[in-house]
Amino acid sequence: MAECIECGADVTLHDDLEVGEIVDCSTCGAELEVVDDDPVELDSAPELEEDWGE
Amino acid sequence: MKVGILYSRIRKDEKLLLSELRERDHDVAKIDVRKQRLRLDEPPEAFEGVDVLVDRCLATSRSLYTTEFADAYGVPVVNGADVADVCADKVKNSLALEAAGVPTPTTEVAYTKDTALDIVEDFGYPCVVKPVIGSWGRLMAKLDSRSAAEAVFEHKEVLGHYEHKVFYVQEFVEKPGRDIRVLATDGEPVAAMVRSSDHWLTNAAKGADTAEFELDDEARRLVKEASDAVGGGLLGVDLMEVGEDEDGNPTGYTVHEVNHNVEFKALNDVTDVDVPARVVDWLEAKVESETDTEVTA
């Protein structure tokens, strides 16, 4: 469990969490980036950029 | 082997890859490219000791430059900078396919709105305009009329980044409501799927339905040729079925693009093939072959 930096709600995390992964806050819908996993630290995920993709 | 995963976001694709590499006890270094300082004369510490870098950068710009640096440092990277350069740009991609004799949709490029309009008038409606760099079906436009074309071109000319002033105009291919994505390693198909949608865009990222697809010999040949055309590697080759026989079945294929930073989570979900395992098999073989070459030399 970690705290959403946008709304303060608890964010449920799965076991195989990876730094660099994006998780959603089920309360406010914010996209959050996992910036550390020990302990878990979340930050706002970057906005979609035009050159993203495959 | 030690594998450096170049990333800025860990998608499900990267998690699948990381999991497979770790299960095989490979030494895996996750390298967040946003934190790297790329010097001209020597590699960053994060690149030290890696047998191969795997470019999984979400941003094309970062992919292009990081692979250039890796090449300059002499650190093996898949896919290499040359492959990324051709695949990232639709103009270069189309030119490579054409030069290799791979069937690809008729395409013309213009630099002004008026000349682009001349092209669409010649092609007839509908036709398609695409950004030269872009993914997931974004900013693609199906032009159904001259007035639509005028509006789209004006927006691109006035509002766009300079790359949007390169008008990449393509014939509209009457595909049977689906296209085909093939994941291939050096031209050898790993698995394939069809992406179906009522919408003219059939990207998985746009929510298209996906299902496994059995490639015939013709499709396999084209995948190999398309892969060779861009320099090989771990690639996503996109084909559309064209033509129609008396029973209504397609008679051939056209290759519309080859992707160098291929996503495979959707493919892995629909096929019995263990896609990340096959990718890691290929990586292991590649590293082993390069190590053998070094020893021999």
Short mmCIF file of all heavy atoms in Angstrom, two decimals, chain A:
data_model
loop_
_atom_site.label_atom_id
_atom_site.label_comp_id
_atom_site.label_asym_id
_atom_site.label_seq_id
_atom_site.Cartn_x
_atom_site.Cartn_y
_atom_site.Cartn_z
N MET A 1 0.85 -1.21 0.00
CA MET A 1 0.00 0.00 0.00
C MET A 1 0.88 1.25 0.00
O MET A 1 1.90 1.28 0.68
CB MET A 1 -0.89 -0.03 1.25
CG MET A 1 -2.14 0.78 1.13
SD MET A 1 -3.44 0.01 0.14
CE MET A 1 -4.22 -1.05 1.34
N ALA A 2 0.48 2.25 -0.78
CA ALA A 2 1.20 3.53 -0.76
C ALA A 2 0.16 4.65 -0.86
O ALA A 2 -1.00 4.40 -1.18
CB ALA A 2 2.18 3.60 -1.93
N GLU A 3 0.64 5.83 -0.62
CA GLU A 3 -0.30 6.95 -0.63
C GLU A 3 -0.26 7.67 -1.96
O GLU A 3 0.82 7.95 -2.50
CB GLU A 3 0.06 7.92 0.50
CG GLU A 3 -0.95 9.05 0.66
CD GLU A 3 -0.58 9.97 1.83
OE1 GLU A 3 -0.75 9.53 2.99
OE2 GLU A 3 -0.12 11.08 1.58
N CYS A 4 -1.45 7.95 -2.50
CA CYS A 4 -1.53 8.70 -3.76
C CYS A 4 -1.08 10.14 -3.50
O CYS A 4 -1.60 10.79 -2.58
CB CYS A 4 -2.96 8.69 -4.30
SG CYS A 4 -3.17 9.75 -5.75
N ILE A 5 -0.15 10.61 -4.30
CA ILE A 5 0.35 11.96 -4.06
C ILE A 5 -0.63 13.02 -4.55
O ILE A 5 -0.49 14.19 -4.22
CB ILE A 5 1.72 12.18 -4.75
CG1 ILE A 5 1.59 12.01 -6.27
CG2 ILE A 5 2.78 11.27 -4.18
CD1 ILE A 5 2.64 12.78 -7.00
N GLU A 6 -1.63 12.59 -5.32
CA GLU A 6 -2.62 13.55 -5.81
C GLU A 6 -3.76 13.74 -4.81
O GLU A 6 -4.14 14.86 -4.50
CB GLU A 6 -3.21 13.08 -7.15
CG GLU A 6 -2.19 12.96 -8.28
CD GLU A 6 -1.71 14.31 -8.81
OE1 GLU A 6 -2.34 15.35 -8.49
OE2 GLU A 6 -0.69 14.34 -9.52
N CYS A 7 -4.32 12.62 -4.32
CA CYS A 7 -5.51 12.73 -3.46
C CYS A 7 -5.31 12.20 -2.05
O CYS A 7 -6.20 12.36 -1.20
CB CYS A 7 -6.71 12.03 -4.12
SG CYS A 7 -6.61 10.24 -4.11
N GLY A 8 -4.20 11.57 -1.82
CA GLY A 8 -3.91 11.08 -0.46
C GLY A 8 -4.53 9.73 -0.14
O GLY A 8 -4.32 9.20 0.96
N ALA A 9 -5.27 9.16 -1.07
CA ALA A 9 -5.91 7.86 -0.81
C ALA A 9 -4.85 6.75 -0.83
O ALA A 9 -3.77 6.92 -1.39
CB ALA A 9 -6.98 7.59 -1.86
N ASP A 10 -5.21 5.62 -0.23
CA ASP A 10 -4.32 4.47 -0.29
C ASP A 10 -4.36 3.85 -1.68
O ASP A 10 -5.43 3.68 -2.26
CB ASP A 10 -4.75 3.42 0.75
CG ASP A 10 -4.39 3.83 2.16
OD1 ASP A 10 -3.47 4.67 2.31
OD2 ASP A 10 -5.04 3.35 3.11
N VAL A 11 -3.19 3.53 -2.21
CA VAL A 11 -3.11 2.88 -3.52
C VAL A 11 -2.66 1.44 -3.29
O VAL A 11 -1.63 1.20 -2.67
CB VAL A 11 -2.09 3.60 -4.44
CG1 VAL A 11 -1.99 2.90 -5.79
CG2 VAL A 11 -2.47 5.07 -4.61
N THR A 12 -3.47 0.52 -3.79
CA THR A 12 -3.13 -0.90 -3.64
C THR A 12 -2.06 -1.27 -4.66
O THR A 12 -2.17 -0.92 -5.85
CB THR A 12 -4.38 -1.77 -3.86
OG1 THR A 12 -5.40 -1.30 -2.99
CG2 THR A 12 -4.08 -3.23 -3.57
N LEU A 13 -1.06 -1.97 -4.20
CA LEU A 13 0.06 -2.33 -5.08
C LEU A 13 0.16 -3.84 -5.20
O LEU A 13 -0.12 -4.57 -4.25
CB LEU A 13 1.37 -1.77 -4.51
CG LEU A 13 1.37 -0.26 -4.25
CD1 LEU A 13 2.59 0.13 -3.42
CD2 LEU A 13 1.36 0.51 -5.57
N HIS A 14 0.58 -4.31 -6.36
CA HIS A 14 0.74 -5.76 -6.53
C HIS A 14 2.16 -6.16 -6.13
O HIS A 14 3.04 -5.32 -5.93
CB HIS A 14 0.40 -6.18 -7.96
CG HIS A 14 0.97 -5.30 -9.00
ND1 HIS A 14 2.22 -5.47 -9.50
CD2 HIS A 14 0.47 -4.20 -9.62
CE1 HIS A 14 2.47 -4.54 -10.39
NE2 HIS A 14 1.43 -3.75 -10.48
N ASP A 15 2.37 -7.46 -6.04
CA ASP A 15 3.63 -7.97 -5.47
C ASP A 15 4.85 -7.74 -6.36
O ASP A 15 5.95 -7.52 -5.85
CB ASP A 15 3.49 -9.49 -5.20
CG ASP A 15 2.49 -9.74 -4.09
OD1 ASP A 15 2.26 -8.81 -3.31
OD2 ASP A 15 1.93 -10.85 -4.04
N ASP A 16 4.66 -7.84 -7.67
CA ASP A 16 5.84 -7.77 -8.56
C ASP A 16 6.06 -6.35 -9.08
O ASP A 16 6.38 -6.13 -10.24
CB ASP A 16 5.69 -8.75 -9.72
CG ASP A 16 4.49 -8.44 -10.58
OD1 ASP A 16 3.59 -7.72 -10.11
OD2 ASP A 16 4.45 -8.91 -11.74
N LEU A 17 5.92 -5.40 -8.18
CA LEU A 17 6.08 -4.00 -8.56
C LEU A 17 7.49 -3.71 -9.07
O LEU A 17 8.47 -4.22 -8.52
CB LEU A 17 5.81 -3.15 -7.32
CG LEU A 17 5.41 -1.70 -7.53
CD1 LEU A 17 4.04 -1.61 -8.20
CD2 LEU A 17 5.38 -0.96 -6.20
N GLU A 18 7.58 -2.91 -10.11
CA GLU A 18 8.88 -2.54 -10.68
C GLU A 18 9.04 -1.02 -10.66
O GLU A 18 8.08 -0.29 -10.98
CB GLU A 18 8.97 -2.98 -12.15
CG GLU A 18 9.04 -4.46 -12.36
CD GLU A 18 10.45 -5.02 -12.20
OE1 GLU A 18 11.40 -4.24 -12.02
OE2 GLU A 18 10.58 -6.25 -12.23
N VAL A 19 10.22 -0.57 -10.34
CA VAL A 19 10.51 0.86 -10.50
C VAL A 19 10.35 1.21 -11.99
O VAL A 19 10.83 0.48 -12.86
CB VAL A 19 11.94 1.18 -10.03
CG1 VAL A 19 12.34 2.61 -10.40
CG2 VAL A 19 12.06 0.97 -8.54
N GLY A 20 9.66 2.29 -12.26
CA GLY A 20 9.42 2.69 -13.64
C GLY A 20 8.04 2.31 -14.13
O GLY A 20 7.60 2.74 -15.20
N GLU A 21 7.35 1.51 -13.33
CA GLU A 21 6.00 1.07 -13.69
C GLU A 21 4.98 2.17 -13.35
O GLU A 21 5.22 2.99 -12.47
CB GLU A 21 5.71 -0.20 -12.90
CG GLU A 21 4.45 -0.91 -13.31
CD GLU A 21 4.28 -2.22 -12.52
OE1 GLU A 21 5.21 -2.61 -11.80
OE2 GLU A 21 3.19 -2.81 -12.64
N ILE A 22 3.86 2.13 -14.04
CA ILE A 22 2.80 3.09 -13.75
C ILE A 22 1.64 2.36 -13.07
O ILE A 22 1.22 1.29 -13.51
CB ILE A 22 2.27 3.74 -15.06
CG1 ILE A 22 3.43 4.41 -15.83
CG2 ILE A 22 1.16 4.75 -14.77
CD1 ILE A 22 4.15 5.52 -15.09
N VAL A 23 1.16 2.96 -11.98
CA VAL A 23 -0.02 2.40 -11.30
C VAL A 23 -1.10 3.49 -11.27
O VAL A 23 -0.79 4.68 -11.32
CB VAL A 23 0.30 1.92 -9.87
CG1 VAL A 23 1.26 0.76 -9.89
CG2 VAL A 23 0.88 3.05 -9.02
N ASP A 24 -2.34 3.03 -11.23
CA ASP A 24 -3.45 3.98 -11.20
C ASP A 24 -4.00 4.09 -9.79
O ASP A 24 -4.13 3.08 -9.08
CB ASP A 24 -4.59 3.52 -12.13
CG ASP A 24 -4.15 3.50 -13.59
OD1 ASP A 24 -3.33 4.36 -13.95
OD2 ASP A 24 -4.64 2.64 -14.34
N CYS A 25 -4.36 5.30 -9.40
CA CYS A 25 -5.06 5.49 -8.13
C CYS A 25 -6.55 5.21 -8.39
O CYS A 25 -7.16 5.88 -9.23
CB CYS A 25 -4.87 6.91 -7.60
SG CYS A 25 -5.90 7.24 -6.15
N SER A 26 -7.09 4.23 -7.70
CA SER A 26 -8.50 3.87 -7.97
C SER A 26 -9.46 4.91 -7.41
O SER A 26 -10.64 4.92 -7.75
CB SER A 26 -8.81 2.50 -7.37
OG SER A 26 -8.56 2.52 -5.99
N THR A 27 -8.97 5.80 -6.57
CA THR A 27 -9.84 6.83 -6.00
C THR A 27 -9.96 8.05 -6.92
O THR A 27 -11.05 8.48 -7.27
CB THR A 27 -9.31 7.28 -4.62
OG1 THR A 27 -9.21 6.13 -3.79
CG2 THR A 27 -10.24 8.30 -3.98
N CYS A 28 -8.81 8.60 -7.32
CA CYS A 28 -8.88 9.83 -8.14
C CYS A 28 -8.53 9.58 -9.60
O CYS A 28 -8.68 10.47 -10.44
CB CYS A 28 -7.98 10.92 -7.55
SG CYS A 28 -6.21 10.58 -7.76
N GLY A 29 -8.03 8.40 -9.92
CA GLY A 29 -7.72 8.08 -11.32
C GLY A 29 -6.35 8.55 -11.77
O GLY A 29 -5.99 8.38 -12.94
N ALA A 30 -5.58 9.14 -10.88
CA ALA A 30 -4.26 9.65 -11.27
C ALA A 30 -3.34 8.51 -11.69
O ALA A 30 -3.40 7.41 -11.13
CB ALA A 30 -3.63 10.41 -10.11
N GLU A 31 -2.53 8.77 -12.71
CA GLU A 31 -1.49 7.82 -13.09
C GLU A 31 -0.23 8.16 -12.31
O GLU A 31 0.23 9.31 -12.31
CB GLU A 31 -1.19 7.93 -14.59
CG GLU A 31 -2.28 7.34 -15.46
CD GLU A 31 -1.81 7.14 -16.89
OE1 GLU A 31 -0.96 7.93 -17.36
OE2 GLU A 31 -2.28 6.20 -17.54
N LEU A 32 0.32 7.17 -11.64
CA LEU A 32 1.45 7.39 -10.74
C LEU A 32 2.61 6.50 -11.15
O LEU A 32 2.43 5.31 -11.45
CB LEU A 32 1.03 7.07 -9.30
CG LEU A 32 -0.21 7.85 -8.81
CD1 LEU A 32 -0.76 7.21 -7.54
CD2 LEU A 32 0.14 9.32 -8.55
N GLU A 33 3.79 7.09 -11.14
CA GLU A 33 4.99 6.32 -11.48
C GLU A 33 5.65 5.81 -10.20
O GLU A 33 5.80 6.57 -9.23
CB GLU A 33 5.97 7.19 -12.26
CG GLU A 33 7.25 6.44 -12.61
CD GLU A 33 8.23 7.27 -13.42
OE1 GLU A 33 7.90 8.40 -13.81
OE2 GLU A 33 9.35 6.77 -13.65
N VAL A 34 6.05 4.57 -10.24
CA VAL A 34 6.79 4.00 -9.11
C VAL A 34 8.24 4.47 -9.26
O VAL A 34 8.94 4.07 -10.19
CB VAL A 34 6.73 2.46 -9.12
CG1 VAL A 34 7.52 1.89 -7.94
CG2 VAL A 34 5.29 1.98 -9.11
N VAL A 35 8.68 5.34 -8.37
CA VAL A 35 10.05 5.85 -8.47
C VAL A 35 10.99 5.14 -7.49
O VAL A 35 12.21 5.25 -7.61
CB VAL A 35 10.12 7.39 -8.27
CG1 VAL A 35 9.42 8.09 -9.41
CG2 VAL A 35 9.53 7.81 -6.94
N ASP A 36 10.43 4.42 -6.52
CA ASP A 36 11.25 3.58 -5.65
C ASP A 36 10.36 2.45 -5.16
O ASP A 36 9.14 2.62 -5.04
CB ASP A 36 11.80 4.39 -4.47
CG ASP A 36 13.07 3.75 -3.88
OD1 ASP A 36 13.32 2.57 -4.18
OD2 ASP A 36 13.79 4.45 -3.16
N ASP A 37 11.00 1.29 -4.91
CA ASP A 37 10.18 0.16 -4.45
C ASP A 37 10.55 -0.30 -3.04
O ASP A 37 9.99 -1.27 -2.54
CB ASP A 37 10.23 -1.01 -5.46
CG ASP A 37 11.65 -1.53 -5.68
OD1 ASP A 37 12.59 -0.95 -5.10
OD2 ASP A 37 11.79 -2.49 -6.44
N ASP A 38 11.50 0.37 -2.41
CA ASP A 38 11.89 -0.05 -1.06
C ASP A 38 12.37 1.12 -0.23
O ASP A 38 13.58 1.39 -0.19
CB ASP A 38 12.96 -1.14 -1.13
CG ASP A 38 13.25 -1.75 0.23
OD1 ASP A 38 12.35 -1.67 1.10
OD2 ASP A 38 14.35 -2.28 0.42
N PRO A 39 11.50 1.86 0.43
CA PRO A 39 10.05 1.67 0.43
C PRO A 39 9.43 2.25 -0.84
O PRO A 39 10.07 3.03 -1.55
CB PRO A 39 9.61 2.48 1.66
CG PRO A 39 10.62 3.57 1.75
CD PRO A 39 11.92 2.98 1.28
N VAL A 40 8.19 1.87 -1.08
CA VAL A 40 7.52 2.32 -2.30
C VAL A 40 7.30 3.83 -2.26
O VAL A 40 6.84 4.39 -1.26
CB VAL A 40 6.16 1.61 -2.47
CG1 VAL A 40 5.38 2.21 -3.65
CG2 VAL A 40 6.38 0.12 -2.68
N GLU A 41 7.70 4.44 -3.36
CA GLU A 41 7.50 5.88 -3.49
C GLU A 41 6.85 6.15 -4.85
O GLU A 41 7.30 5.61 -5.88
CB GLU A 41 8.85 6.59 -3.41
CG GLU A 41 8.75 8.10 -3.28
CD GLU A 41 10.14 8.76 -3.27
OE1 GLU A 41 11.13 8.11 -2.87
OE2 GLU A 41 10.21 9.92 -3.70
N LEU A 42 5.81 6.93 -4.83
CA LEU A 42 5.08 7.23 -6.07
C LEU A 42 5.23 8.70 -6.42
O LEU A 42 5.32 9.55 -5.55
CB LEU A 42 3.59 6.90 -5.91
CG LEU A 42 3.25 5.46 -5.47
CD1 LEU A 42 1.74 5.33 -5.25
CD2 LEU A 42 3.72 4.46 -6.51
N ASP A 43 5.22 8.97 -7.71
CA ASP A 43 5.25 10.36 -8.18
C ASP A 43 4.26 10.47 -9.35
O ASP A 43 3.84 9.45 -9.91
CB ASP A 43 6.67 10.73 -8.64
CG ASP A 43 6.89 12.24 -8.66
OD1 ASP A 43 5.90 12.99 -8.48
OD2 ASP A 43 8.05 12.67 -8.86
N SER A 44 3.93 11.68 -9.74
CA SER A 44 3.03 11.83 -10.89
C SER A 44 3.69 11.26 -12.13
O SER A 44 4.87 11.54 -12.40
CB SER A 44 2.73 13.32 -11.13
OG SER A 44 2.09 13.87 -10.01
N ALA A 45 2.94 10.50 -12.90
CA ALA A 45 3.49 9.92 -14.13
C ALA A 45 3.62 11.02 -15.18
O ALA A 45 2.80 11.94 -15.23
CB ALA A 45 2.59 8.82 -14.64
N PRO A 46 4.65 10.93 -16.02
CA PRO A 46 4.78 11.93 -17.08
C PRO A 46 3.59 11.90 -18.03
O PRO A 46 2.99 10.84 -18.24
CB PRO A 46 6.06 11.49 -17.82
CG PRO A 46 6.75 10.55 -16.91
CD PRO A 46 5.71 9.93 -16.05
N GLU A 47 3.25 13.06 -18.57
CA GLU A 47 2.17 13.12 -19.56
C GLU A 47 2.63 12.46 -20.86
O GLU A 47 3.82 12.47 -21.18
CB GLU A 47 1.81 14.59 -19.85
CG GLU A 47 1.20 15.34 -18.68
CD GLU A 47 -0.22 14.89 -18.38
OE1 GLU A 47 -0.93 14.50 -19.31
OE2 GLU A 47 -0.60 14.91 -17.19
N LEU A 48 1.68 11.93 -21.59
CA LEU A 48 1.96 11.31 -22.88
C LEU A 48 2.66 12.29 -23.82
O LEU A 48 2.24 13.43 -23.96
CB LEU A 48 0.63 10.87 -23.52
CG LEU A 48 0.68 10.30 -24.93
CD1 LEU A 48 1.30 8.91 -24.92
CD2 LEU A 48 -0.71 10.25 -25.53
N GLU A 49 3.75 11.84 -24.41
CA GLU A 49 4.48 12.67 -25.37
C GLU A 49 4.22 12.17 -26.79
O GLU A 49 3.92 11.00 -27.00
CB GLU A 49 5.99 12.60 -25.09
CG GLU A 49 6.41 13.18 -23.75
CD GLU A 49 6.53 14.68 -23.74
OE1 GLU A 49 6.36 15.31 -24.81
OE2 GLU A 49 6.80 15.25 -22.67
N GLU A 50 4.41 13.07 -27.73
CA GLU A 50 4.07 12.75 -29.12
C GLU A 50 4.92 11.62 -29.70
O GLU A 50 4.47 10.90 -30.59
CB GLU A 50 4.25 14.02 -29.96
CG GLU A 50 3.63 13.94 -31.33
CD GLU A 50 3.83 15.23 -32.09
OE1 GLU A 50 3.76 16.31 -31.48
OE2 GLU A 50 4.07 15.16 -33.31
N ASP A 51 6.15 11.47 -29.21
CA ASP A 51 7.02 10.45 -29.80
C ASP A 51 6.99 9.13 -29.05
O ASP A 51 7.80 8.25 -29.29
CB ASP A 51 8.47 10.95 -29.91
CG ASP A 51 9.14 11.09 -28.55
OD1 ASP A 51 8.43 11.26 -27.53
OD2 ASP A 51 10.38 11.04 -28.50
N TRP A 52 6.04 8.97 -28.14
CA TRP A 52 5.96 7.70 -27.43
C TRP A 52 5.35 6.63 -28.33
O TRP A 52 4.53 6.93 -29.20
CB TRP A 52 5.07 7.84 -26.19
CG TRP A 52 5.74 8.55 -25.06
CD1 TRP A 52 6.90 9.25 -25.10
CD2 TRP A 52 5.25 8.66 -23.72
NE1 TRP A 52 7.17 9.77 -23.86
CE2 TRP A 52 6.18 9.43 -23.00
CE3 TRP A 52 4.12 8.19 -23.05
CZ2 TRP A 52 6.01 9.73 -21.65
CZ3 TRP A 52 3.95 8.49 -21.72
CH2 TRP A 52 4.89 9.26 -21.02
N GLY A 53 5.77 5.41 -28.08
CA GLY A 53 5.15 4.29 -28.80
C GLY A 53 6.19 3.36 -29.32
O GLY A 53 7.36 3.42 -28.95
N GLU A 54 5.75 2.50 -30.23
CA GLU A 54 6.68 1.49 -30.72
C GLU A 54 7.24 1.89 -32.07
O GLU A 54 6.72 2.72 -32.75
CB GLU A 54 6.00 0.14 -30.81
CG GLU A 54 4.67 0.15 -31.49
CD GLU A 54 4.03 -1.22 -31.55
OE1 GLU A 54 4.63 -2.20 -31.13
OE2 GLU A 54 2.91 -1.29 -32.04
#
